[in-house]
Amino acid sequence: MKNYQLVFEWPKKKLPLKYKREWDLVRVKAREDKLLETLIKISQESESNLEISIVKGKKNIGEARIKENSIMIAFYGSSPYIPESVTLYIPGHENLSVIDELPFIQSGTVENLRGRKEGNRIEVIFRAEVRGLELYPRFEGEKPEITLRFIKDGYGKWEELCLEEVRIKGEKEEVRLQMKERKL
């Protein structure tokens, strides 16, 4: 079983988990099979949005972002800018505001957000600025149309949305990213 360290900024208040404090940073150990449960505990105690680095050994292998009780978990492979897998965990009332926190989207630029469902598949379409060395130069100065395709599943009171495919369509170029499914 893999062990991770979750590293994030935390105010000078108690956290209901074992942790080490280093100035404003906190390190929490989490086993792979308990990662989501640990993130849920952190989100319940959090009073603001959080960005959490997921570290294995000395290597940063992913990130988690908590926004308005929703959790986004991304794991990276060969590229530090485009994740290999992304999973969203949202409370049952489908608050998709966490989409603004995806690693390849410039935060605060999402507009015209709309979506549709077909069985256990969800498609979300919007316009936003992209970020990252591999995407930004291709779409610099524009807000391309971004289509996200998710597979929906349940996890207790939460809805689990596994990102399956990303399509970014600009004026001159289109990029498709195929994601790997990674269940926790």
Side-chain angles (χ1 to χ4, degrees), residues 96 99 113-118 120-126 145-152 161 163 165 167 176:
L96 293 176
I99 283 180
L113 183 67
R114 59 197 188 281
R116 66 174 167 241
K117 288 185 188 179
E118 288 181 25
N120 70 338
R121 297 198 180 275
I122 296 176
E123 186 174 88
V124 179
I125 303 167
F126 56 93
E145 182 178 82
I146 301 172
T147 304
L148 307 174
R149 291 192 177 94
F150 294 97
I151 296 174
K152 179 180 165 183
L161 302 176
L163 187 56
E165 181 184 16
R167 191 186 96 212
R176 288 182 184 263

Side-chain angles (χ1 to χ4, degrees), residues 10-12 20-26:
W10 190 256
K12 299 269 187 218
K20 283 186 181 177
R21 179 172 292 281
E22 299 168 6
W23 302 101
D24 288 342
L25 290 180
V26 167

Side-chain angles (χ1 to χ4, degrees), residues 33 44 59 70 73 78 85 118 122-123 138 165:
D33 61 336
Q44 290 168 344
K59 186 177 178 190
S70 298
I73 303 171
S78 58
S85 71
E118 288 181 25
I122 296 176
E123 186 174 88
R138 294 177 175 188
E165 181 184 16

Side-chain angles (χ1 to χ4, degrees), residues 73-134:
I73 303 171
F75 286 96
Y76 295 93
S78 58
S79 168
Y81 303 104
I82 299 175
E84 190 174 81
S85 71
V86 175
T87 308
L88 304 178
Y89 292 90
I90 57 177
H93 56 277
E94 289 192 33
N95 179 359
L96 293 176
S97 65
V98 76
I99 283 180
D100 195 40
E101 299 295 323
L102 289 170
F104 47 85
I105 294 173
Q106 187 66 40
S107 187
T109 65
V110 173
E111 55 187 44
N112 302 333
L113 183 67
R114 59 197 188 281
R116 66 174 167 241
K117 288 185 188 179
E118 288 181 25
N120 70 338
R121 297 198 180 275
I122 296 176
E123 186 174 88
V124 179
I125 303 167
F126 56 93
R127 291 194 172 275
E129 292 176 17
V130 295
R131 66 180 176 138
L133 286 178
E134 293 146 356

